[in-house]
Amino acid sequence: MAATALPRRQLANAIRALSMDAVQKAKSGHPGAPMGMADIAEVLWNDWLKHNPGHPQWFDRDRFVLSNGHGSMLIYSLLHLTGYHLSMDELRRFRQLHSMTPGHPEFGYTPGVETTTGPLGQGLANAVGMAIAEKTLAAQFNRPGHEIVDHYTWVFAGDGCLMEGVSHEACSLAGTLGLGKLIVFYDANGISIDGEVEAWFSEDAMARFSAYGWHVQDIDGHDPEAINQAIAAARDETGRPSMIQCRTIIGFGSPNKQGTAATHGAPLGEDEVRAVREGLGWPHAPFVVPEEIAAAWNATETGFMAETAWKEKLVEYEEEYPELALEFVRRMKGELPGDFAGRAGEFIRQRQQDGAHIASRKASQDCIEVFGALLPELIGGSADLTGSNLTLWSGSRSLADADDGNYIYFGVREFGMTAIATGIALHGGFIPYCATFLMFMEYARNAVRMAALMKQRSILVYTHDSIGQGEDGPTHQPIEQLANLRTTPNLSVWRPCDSVEAAAAWQAAIERRDGPTALVFTRQTIPHQERTDEQVESISRGGYVLIDCEGEAEVLVIATGSEVAVSAEAVRELQAEGIAARLISLPSVDVFEQQDAAWRESVLPAHLRKRVAVEAGTVDYWRKFVGLDGCVVGMTTFGESAPGAVLMEHFGFTAERVAAAARSLLN
């Protein structure tokens, strides 16, 4: 129980008061959820949560996720009250420019916020990833008597989270994997923006989660004893994730608005705030927490003691398992093995020597085979397309078969898969990858965006990257998706033209620590390109001259992926005609644009404006490289159903058309 003689309701009221005051001052926000969930939060944070406000990134801390992120003042109040570096002034600056208290919790802005939430359901899906990471890491490193990985993942979620389809995807998988240290509190207040949800959300949520294979409980979310008992029961259930349905009143304490949508997404108003204070017996001024209540909430000492005890366990572990301990510390820090870059470089050079003519999806699998053996932290899988995405390698072990495995059969769950991978990255200790067809990135689009927003190191493997996908037709053939990915901030995109560029792309994705990377591969076989050693080294710059001409170029041809091969044919044809043509391979536009001006100028001289871009995707993206007067050989329509080679010719991705486009510019 809480180490205080103060009534629990009084402690919870500190959350209610701070939340309504901050929303009122900002004239914007969501007071209802924090006021309704305050009693649950008080019990969890004071009695159960393992954390250290003085060191928010302590590795064996519990993870707490506010999936219904619109109720952000709940977590900001908790962080302030328990002693994190989040001052009362920051609470007063709620939702203001550059404050540490943005409208929705944002990873990296506020100490103690584990993931950015707001798009409903995704925080819950991130938490599934965190729980997967904890369970797997524990199986890989814990030894009898030495449990150095031993923490829980706690989630607050609302009606909106459970309505979103991503919650089904992620929670279904969580039940299958038996994530016993994942505990979710469902704030069943029955209210969303449009009012009482029973008119559009009448399902039996507990029956649904029971069907997933979860342990379920239904309690009064304002009864501290019931909350405590439910948490104890959830922790005792080690083989299943737990869902605790908490019957609450949204805006609890607001005499005229509680239980209604009026408290969901708007300030209560000055008169109602005064009425809340009177009804709750909270006579204190706005943003004032009495000293005895602040002292009862403060967790800095207990947090320090908890981390200190863990550090002592880690020292004992290091003494008994020194090599494992070194590996554990390396992975906690997110560092790569010291010899990784050198061995990756050797692999890339070997690929150039091998000269394999293979589909780049197969080249990707070869990369996973090599890098997976070097990196035990590499974990991932496919959304029911393992045999098509080629993500399985000889060292793959399914998490369904072994807790210390490294492969996840995600099932047909593209959205959930991508959000789960982000959660694994957020937890730490792993480099996650996940795979589907490029077209079905659309199902996962918002999770891709959230990974980029949080700058998380996850690797997004997309195969079947164009109309070259073939017979499945336009429903499966991506057109605008590459442009979508490339215009997303913080997301790096690679579309390699052969096995050598594929290896360089995988190395770049693994070494990148400030955001996700999309690796885009072909279904069809593509030819190997000849290169000098210098050109091989240049791939890492994102763009380089693959075929040059004598003297100054008259026309520049820019290509990516499978279209590099036909462009190479066209350039050689032009050169045979006496036209000074240069071919630039541009596997990663964003990496190329980050290079120094001298390199960019050496590849794409600014004064040479006769330019042709070639890619089996939407034409508009390439206008920034070729200008309105340049030529883009690309797609302006959806595809068709036919063999890939037939479609490539039908839509003009041939050497003849590329050469003709170049000639038209010169004429």
Side-chain angles (χ1 to χ4, degrees), residues 445-642:
R445 173 63 192 144
N446 199 256
V448 174
R449 185 178 189 272
M450 294 301 290
L453 183 64
M454 290 186 274
K455 299 182 179 180
Q456 290 304 296
R457 178 166 61 178
S458 57
I459 301 173
L460 312 172
V461 177
Y462 297 127
T463 69
H464 297 59
D465 67 346
S466 72
I467 57 171
Q469 198 269 30
E471 294 87 344
D472 282 335
T475 60
H476 285 53
Q477 293 165 3
I479 302 297
E480 70 277 24
Q481 285 64 41
L482 280 165
N484 188 317
L485 292 170
R486 288 185 179 125
T487 54
T488 301
N490 304 331
L491 176 63
S492 187
V493 182
W494 286 78
R495 186 173 183 244
C497 76
D498 65 3
S499 66
V500 184
E501 287 189 358
W506 261 101
Q507 180 184 1
I510 289 169
E511 291 180 341
R512 185 168 189 251
R513 298 187 63 172
D514 59 350
T517 303
L519 303 179
V520 184
F521 301 116
T522 66
R523 174 198 184 193
Q524 71 273 26
T525 296
I526 50 180
H528 170 76
Q529 300 297 320
E530 292 299 325
R531 297 177 184 83
T532 65
D533 290 344
E534 184 179 1
Q535 286 174 312
V536 171
E537 293 295 324
S538 298
I539 296 171
S540 64
R541 290 178 174 265
Y544 62 102
V545 178
L546 183 59
I547 300 177
D548 211 347
C549 56
E550 294 199 12
E552 183 167 276
E554 298 175 73
V555 62
L556 305 179
V557 179
I558 306 165
T560 79
S562 53
E563 291 73 71
V564 167
V566 296
S567 299
E569 290 181 41
V571 166
R572 293 189 181 99
E573 180 181 324
L574 293 168
Q575 290 182 351
E577 297 171 8
I579 297 173
R582 167 187 285 184
L583 174 61
I584 294 98
S585 179
L586 204 59
S588 180
V589 175
D590 60 279
V591 172
F592 177 72
E593 290 179 336
Q594 292 167 11
Q595 302 305 307
D596 59 82
W599 178 261
R600 297 196 307 270
E601 177 66 17
S602 72
V603 176
L604 289 172
H607 68 282
L608 297 180
R609 303 309 301 169
K610 306 292 186 182
R611 299 181 177 188
V612 181
V614 189
E615 184 174 73
T618 186
V619 301
D620 290 345
Y621 177 81
W622 291 100
R623 292 295 175 193
K624 69 175 184 175
F625 285 103
V626 304
L628 293 177
D629 296 327
C631 183
V632 181
V633 178
M635 295 292 293
T636 57
T637 68
F638 293 115
E640 297 282 355
S641 181

Side-chain angles (χ1 to χ4, degrees), residues 26 163 208 266 286 303 316 321 326 342 538 608 662:
M163 285 187 234
R208 169 185 162 191
E316 294 173 358
Y321 303 99
L326 283 173
S538 298
L608 297 180

Side-chain angles (χ1 to χ4, degrees), residues 283-550:
H284 318 293
F287 299 104
V288 172
V289 176
E291 187 174 328
E292 66 274 16
I293 292 178
W297 268 106
N298 193 289
T300 53
E301 183 177 350
T302 56
F304 175 80
M305 292 171 61
E307 182 175 358
T308 299
W310 177 79
K311 286 180 176 177
E312 292 172 355
K313 290 170 63 175
L314 185 59
V315 169
E316 294 173 358
Y317 182 80
E318 289 171 338
E319 291 173 351
E320 188 142 354
Y321 303 99
E323 292 185 5
L324 268 179
L326 283 173
E327 180 71 356
F328 177 69
V329 171
R330 178 187 72 79
R331 287 175 58 175
M332 277 199 307
K333 293 179 178 179
E335 297 175 350
L336 296 173
D339 62 347
F340 176 78
R343 297 181 72 173
E346 290 175 10
F347 173 61
I348 294 169
R349 290 187 291 273
Q350 185 61 52
R351 298 301 277 181
Q352 184 64 41
Q353 292 176 18
D354 293 343
H357 297 269
I358 56 175
S360 57
R361 62 170 175 161
K362 173 56 180 168
S364 171
Q365 184 180 44
D366 293 344
C367 294
I368 299 172
E369 183 72 35
V370 170
F371 295 142
L374 299 177
L375 302 170
E377 60 263 48
L378 200 62
I379 186 171
S382 166
D384 201 50
L385 289 169
T386 293
S388 296
N389 298 146
L390 301 183
T391 45
L392 205 64
W393 63 289
S394 63
S396 293
R397 301 183 314 283
S398 170
L399 289 187
D401 300 326
D403 288 347
D404 64 347
N406 59 7
Y407 196 81
I408 305 171
Y409 288 96
F410 284 103
V412 188
R413 301 182 177 103
E414 295 88 356
F415 193 178
M417 170 185 70
T418 308
I420 287 169
T422 301
I424 293 173
L426 285 161
H427 178 278
F430 292 98
I431 301 174
Y433 67 94
C434 58
T436 186
F437 289 176
L438 177 58
M439 184 66 249
F440 302 133
M441 177 278 293
E442 295 288 0
Y443 280 129
R445 173 63 192 144
N446 199 256
V448 174
R449 185 178 189 272
M450 294 301 290
L453 183 64
M454 290 186 274
K455 299 182 179 180
Q456 290 304 296
R457 178 166 61 178
S458 57
I459 301 173
L460 312 172
V461 177
Y462 297 127
T463 69
H464 297 59
D465 67 346
S466 72
I467 57 171
Q469 198 269 30
E471 294 87 344
D472 282 335
T475 60
H476 285 53
Q477 293 165 3
I479 302 297
E480 70 277 24
Q481 285 64 41
L482 280 165
N484 188 317
L485 292 170
R486 288 185 179 125
T487 54
T488 301
N490 304 331
L491 176 63
S492 187
V493 182
W494 286 78
R495 186 173 183 244
C497 76
D498 65 3
S499 66
V500 184
E501 287 189 358
W506 261 101
Q507 180 184 1
I510 289 169
E511 291 180 341
R512 185 168 189 251
R513 298 187 63 172
D514 59 350
T517 303
L519 303 179
V520 184
F521 301 116
T522 66
R523 174 198 184 193
Q524 71 273 26
T525 296
I526 50 180
H528 170 76
Q529 300 297 320
E530 292 299 325
R531 297 177 184 83
T532 65
D533 290 344
E534 184 179 1
Q535 286 174 312
V536 171
E537 293 295 324
S538 298
I539 296 171
S540 64
R541 290 178 174 265
Y544 62 102
V545 178
L546 183 59
I547 300 177
D548 211 347
C549 56
E550 294 199 12

Side-chain angles (χ1 to χ4, degrees), residues 201-216:
F201 186 57
S202 59
E203 69 186 45
D204 184 340
M206 292 300 93
R208 169 185 162 191
F209 276 81
S210 180
Y212 290 156
W214 286 53
H215 174 246
V216 300

